[in-house]
Amino acid sequence: MDAKLKRNFILLGHASSGKTTLAESILFLCQATVRKGDVAGGTTASDYNPDEIERKISINLSLLFCNYKGARFQLIDTPGYADFIGEVISGLRAVDGAVVVVDSSSGIELGTERAWELLDEQNIPRLIFINKLDKENTSEEKIILEFKERFSNKCLPLKAINSQEIIEAAAELDDALLEKYLEGKELSSEEVKGALHKGVLSGKIFPIISGSALQDKGVKELLDAIIDFLPNPLERAPILVARADSKEEKELIFGEDKSFSAFVFKTVSDPYIGQLTLLRLFSGRLAANSAVYNATANIRERIGSIYMLKGKDQTLLDYASCGDIVALAKLKSTHASDSLTDEKETYLFKPLVLPEPVMSASIKPKTRADEEKISLALAKLMADDKSLKVSRDNQTKEEILSGVGSLHLEVMVARLRSRFHVDLELGKPKVPYKETIKGRAKVQGRYKRQSGGRGQYGDVWIEVEPLPKGTGDFEFVNKIFGGAIPRNYIPAVEKGVRQACSEGAIAGYPLTGLRVILCDGSYHAVDSSDMAFQIAGAMALRKAVHEAAPTLLEPIMDVEILVCEEFMGQISGDVNSRRGKVMGMDTKGKYQVIKARIPLAEMFQYANDLRSMTGGRGTYTMHLADYEEVPHKIASTIISQYSAQRQQHEE
């Protein structure tokens, strides 16, 4: 199909605005389905995963296609919940235009604002669909005014192409038409449409269509507007790519007759076919049973079948060309964010930038069988969802699952259980505290055992002192003179000291920021051994720490909180209640940015708490800033709990 007849667009907006119902209406009116699906009944084309049907929400992006008036539409239905924003970001890389869907009974919500920001960032032309006007007490005029006030006064209701307001708006977009209009000459429908088309592409106008997806009202008008005003693949905004060899940037030239190029925006695990690689072709052609070159991985990939997707249904293609969004099966070394090109002309698309995980939980398999299955299951989940992370905390020995929010984690854990039959326990992660000292001490560690035959003997004197902040975690200094301890036993002493440091002395957390000086000792010509001196070194270290004013350190996070101005006071007060400090404030567009330092121990439920405080209109990011001393009262509780657990274990 000629690229000029293709339209690729994304449906996005706040949760429950009716995106999936609108997608169903589009498919039904375009006769791509014989029966209109229903979200409540779990029969929609796009929400086909069992957990989406059960929860009655979109969790993953879904590809759909249909034909309308000789044009071929490919649309992407996306989740509205902020926890799944990664799906929206991925889908945006595959499309040329967008339809922002808003619930007329709720107005502009956080998801609407975030959608608009993402479209602005990527310079994507858009239409607006005001949905659910069949509901009582809804006002189209009120929502239009809200769009004009919040986003742009160029948000224009598309009532009739020959209405005075539309003609005036079109004339303002084109100097020649404006002159003709001012001369009192009549503008043709084609002239008006042409001007509006250019205005939508340049982001100077945002047409609004109103109706009800549930009752199929306004949807045909929306389909006409998609054909008339959204770009075809040759008209989309320019894309900068970097040459794979020199990293020199160039502007990609679109067209079926150009060199092949495609961007992988997502992978999906299909229960029957295996892994599907979803890609958007920006130029050239790709034939089935041929090969592609992965410029990111620097490897050649053999491909078999090419599919166009309609939810879970797959249509085989002989080839794909400029503008197509397709799926390839069983690629071995290709992942999301990879660039596929012609082997003779290789270049790289900019990679996906997905939100960093902000909520974490520890995961522990319940049985040995679960333990064996969990690694593969997590790898498959992370391949499909790049905003999901799994890490191991070497200090606390926990596997940590991190996601964008509590719902995100909840859904992923449910998938581990339902898809991969892995049963696990989900818990709050432990805080990776550290131990240190504030004073100095000199102690002896003496290990002596005699049980018939050769005994064990090791005797060391060590001094401990704090290291200046920022100069390192640990330093071992050997100041043995005159052979008090033979040279060959010194490494064993250091090994014992380091082992004791890793285990901690007061609460079981690693010791940091201390210098250990080996200054004296004694040995036995027969009974001394590496093991004896290793044990003596560990004994000395633990004893020295207790005499050198030990204390606990906790991780302090740099936190940036993005909120509307109306919540500034409440958020600042909440930061203080979490033992945090507000370090500064800034402005980012319509939002306020609060920069704070907050202990990690106070942040594990922050995503939920922030959502509650701001009605879902606040977001945040955080990363490790430093370690600081734990307040005495909290430290005493942690140390007491450790001592009680240790005593119980010994009994």
Side-chain angles (χ1 to χ4, degrees):
M1 178 179 280
D2 188 336
K4 292 179 181 178
L5 297 175
K6 298 175 183 178
R7 298 290 185 276
N8 302 320
F9 59 95
I10 191 168
L11 303 178
L12 67 173
H14 196 76
S16 301
S17 58
K19 299 179 295 297
T20 300
T21 302
L22 177 59
E24 283 299 312
S25 183
I26 290 172
L27 293 179
F28 182 67
L29 291 176
C30 292
Q31 299 181 338
T33 54
V34 295
R35 182 176 60 84
K36 188 176 174 182
D38 172 59
V39 173
T43 56
T44 65
S46 51
D47 288 354
Y48 58 86
N49 283 309
D51 47 7
E52 292 178 308
I53 294 170
E54 181 184 346
R55 294 173 184 270
K56 296 178 173 53
I57 62 169
S58 298
I59 294 171
N60 301 109
L61 66 80
S62 185
L63 304 183
L64 306 164
F65 72 90
C66 57
N67 296 311
Y68 182 73
K69 292 186 176 179
R72 206 274 319 284
F73 291 170
Q74 280 195 274
L75 54 147
I76 299 181
D77 183 23
T78 62
Y81 284 94
D83 293 53
F84 309 112
I85 190 70
E87 297 290 304
V88 179
I89 293 170
S90 299
L92 284 169
R93 294 294 298 273
V95 298
D96 307 317
V99 176
V100 178
V101 184
V102 62
D103 180 347
S104 60
S105 63
S106 304
I108 293 173
E109 300 174 271
L110 175 66
T112 324
E113 293 174 346
R114 186 70 180 115
W116 200 271
E117 288 171 5
L118 289 169
L119 294 171
D120 279 348
E121 287 171 12
Q122 300 194 34
N123 193 26
I124 295 177
R126 72 214 69 161
L127 305 174
I128 299 162
F129 186 72
I130 299 177
N131 195 19
K132 302 188 182 181
L133 281 170
D134 55 310
K135 296 174 77 172
E136 291 184 8
N137 302 318
T138 56
S139 169
E140 178 187 7
E141 290 72 24
K142 181 182 176 183
I143 305 300
I144 291 170
L145 182 62
E146 197 174 353
F147 265 98
K148 286 178 178 288
E149 291 176 346
R150 296 279 279 276
F151 299 130
S152 170
N153 60 5
K154 296 299 182 183
C155 294
L156 183 71
L158 207 61
K159 301 284 186 181
I161 205 70
N162 57 356
S163 70
Q164 190 66 30
E165 187 179 13
I166 298 294
I167 291 171
E168 286 181 0
E172 289 176 5
L173 292 165
D174 187 295
D175 290 342
L177 290 185
L178 181 59
E179 186 177 341
K180 186 176 178 180
Y181 175 73
L182 293 174
E183 290 174 356
K185 296 177 182 178
E186 189 175 328
L187 304 185
S188 69
S189 294
E190 291 308 312
E191 285 176 320
V192 172
K193 285 182 181 179
L196 293 177
H197 178 71
K198 290 178 182 176
V200 171
L201 265 58
S202 61
K204 293 179 180 177
I205 195 166
F206 308 102
I208 300 173
I209 298 92
S210 302
S212 166
L214 188 64
Q215 296 186 355
D216 301 328
K217 291 180 179 178
V219 180
K220 282 195 174 180
E221 289 78 2
L222 175 64
L223 296 176
D224 289 334
I226 288 166
I227 288 181
D228 291 338
F229 306 128
L230 288 185
N232 66 54
L234 304 180
E235 296 176 308
R236 64 158 295 130
I239 295 176
L240 285 178
V241 291
R243 295 188 183 277
D245 50 1
S246 65
K247 300 297 184 282
E248 175 192 351
E249 285 195 330
K250 72 162 197 170
E251 198 171 284
L252 186 65
I253 301 174
F254 310 127
E256 190 172 335
D257 59 342
K258 308 303 179 187
S259 174
F260 166 72
S261 69
F263 179 73
V264 178
F265 62 95
K266 186 172 172 62
T267 60
V268 177
S269 295
D270 185 275
Y272 304 106
I273 295 179
Q275 180 172 292
L276 289 174
T277 303
L278 308 185
L279 58 139
R280 159 68 191 263
L281 274 76
F282 288 99
S283 61
R285 283 168 58 106
L286 178 65
N289 302 309
S290 62
V292 295
Y293 188 74
N294 185 326
T296 307
N298 196 24
I299 192 170
R300 204 162 180 260
E301 284 266 42
R302 189 77 194 169
I303 69 165
S305 300
I306 302 175
Y307 301 99
M308 190 167 282
L309 303 182
K310 188 189 297 175
K312 64 181 177 182
D313 297 331
Q314 300 148 358
T315 299
L316 271 170
L317 303 177
D318 294 328
Y319 71 93
S321 61
C322 172
D324 288 343
I325 303 171
V326 296
L328 307 181
K330 299 177 182 177
L331 295 190
K332 295 179 180 178
S333 304
T334 299
H335 310 284
S337 268
D338 284 358
S339 302
L340 305 181
T341 65
D342 188 292
E343 198 165 355
K344 296 176 183 176
E345 188 177 1
T346 60
Y347 37 82
L348 303 169
F349 290 86
K350 290 181 180 177
L352 289 165
V353 180
L354 297 172
E356 286 297 314
V358 295
M359 178 164 278
S360 300
S362 61
I363 51 174
K364 182 181 179 182
K366 285 191 174 179
T367 67
R368 178 61 63 86
D370 292 321
E371 195 172 329
E372 292 170 356
K373 291 186 288 187
I374 195 169
S375 295
L376 180 60
L378 287 170
K380 287 185 176 180
L381 283 182
M382 286 190 292
D384 288 357
D385 185 346
K386 291 295 184 181
S387 57
L388 186 72
K389 306 291 182 189
V390 177
S391 59
R392 180 170 176 80
D393 191 319
N394 291 325
Q395 182 176 323
T396 63
K397 304 295 188 289
E398 290 180 315
E399 293 288 336
I400 306 296
L401 184 67
S402 303
V404 179
S406 57
L407 180 59
H408 188 208
L409 288 184
E410 184 185 315
V411 166
M412 292 304 115
V413 169
R415 285 188 174 178
L416 283 171
R417 289 174 176 144
S418 62
R419 287 190 186 181
F420 304 102
H421 310 293
V422 175
D423 201 7
L424 47 81
E425 295 174 354
L426 197 66
K428 180 180 174 182
K430 296 174 185 173
V431 178
Y433 293 107
K434 292 182 180 180
E435 299 177 14
T436 193
I437 56 172
K438 294 190 288 183
R440 301 167 61 98
K442 182 177 181 179
V443 302
Q444 180 185 27
R446 188 167 181 263
Y447 179 68
K448 183 178 181 182
R449 290 288 184 273
Q450 195 74 42
S451 56
R454 183 178 175 180
Q456 293 285 346
Y457 183 87
D459 177 32
V460 301
W461 279 86
I462 64 169
E463 294 177 4
V464 296
E465 61 186 24
L467 282 171
K469 190 166 184 177
T471 59
D473 292 332
F474 176 82
E475 189 178 308
F476 183 82
V477 181
N478 175 23
K479 285 191 176 180
I480 292 293
F481 295 102
I485 300 174
R487 186 178 300 173
N488 58 302
Y489 290 138
I490 304 299
V493 177
E494 182 178 354
K495 184 177 180 181
V497 167
R498 286 184 177 273
Q499 179 64 34
C501 281
S502 70
E503 295 171 351
I506 58 172
Y509 295 102
L511 276 151
T512 187
L514 74 161
R515 179 183 289 121
V516 178
I517 303 164
L518 177 61
C519 53
D520 203 356
S522 63
Y523 72 102
H524 190 279
V526 176
D527 291 345
S528 286
S529 66
D530 283 346
M531 181 57 70
F533 274 102
Q534 185 176 326
I535 294 171
M539 290 170 61
L541 188 281
R542 285 190 284 268
K543 185 177 177 182
V545 168
H546 280 281
E547 296 182 16
T551 188
L552 275 181
L553 301 175
E554 65 179 336
I556 305 296
M557 312 305 288
D558 268 335
V559 185
E560 284 200 359
I561 309 160
L562 192 71
V563 293
C564 300
E565 190 170 357
E566 63 195 273
F567 301 114
M568 291 284 285
Q570 187 179 359
I571 297 301
S572 298
D574 181 72
V575 167
N576 293 331
S577 74
R578 294 174 188 270
R579 300 190 286 119
K581 296 176 184 175
V582 174
M583 309 300 289
M585 297 186 184
D586 204 351
T587 302
K588 184 179 180 182
K590 296 173 289 186
Y591 296 95
Q592 300 296 314
V593 180
I594 298 174
K595 298 179 180 180
R597 284 198 164 188
I598 308 174
L600 176 62
E602 307 290 340
M603 293 298 293
F604 288 124
Q605 293 299 319
Y606 192 64
N608 287 342
D609 296 341
L610 181 63
R611 185 176 295 136
S612 176
M613 285 186 286
T614 63
R617 298 177 68 192
T619 60
Y620 77 101
T621 59
M622 70 177 182
H623 63 270
L624 180 65
D626 202 356
Y627 270 78
E628 293 180 4
E629 188 173 343
V630 179
H632 178 72
K633 186 176 180 181
I634 297 174
S636 297
T637 301
I638 295 168
I639 293 167
S640 297
Q641 288 173 347
Y642 173 74
S643 299
Q645 289 170 358
R646 189 169 181 179
Q647 185 176 355
Q648 187 178 7
H649 179 72
E650 289 173 354
E651 291 173 355

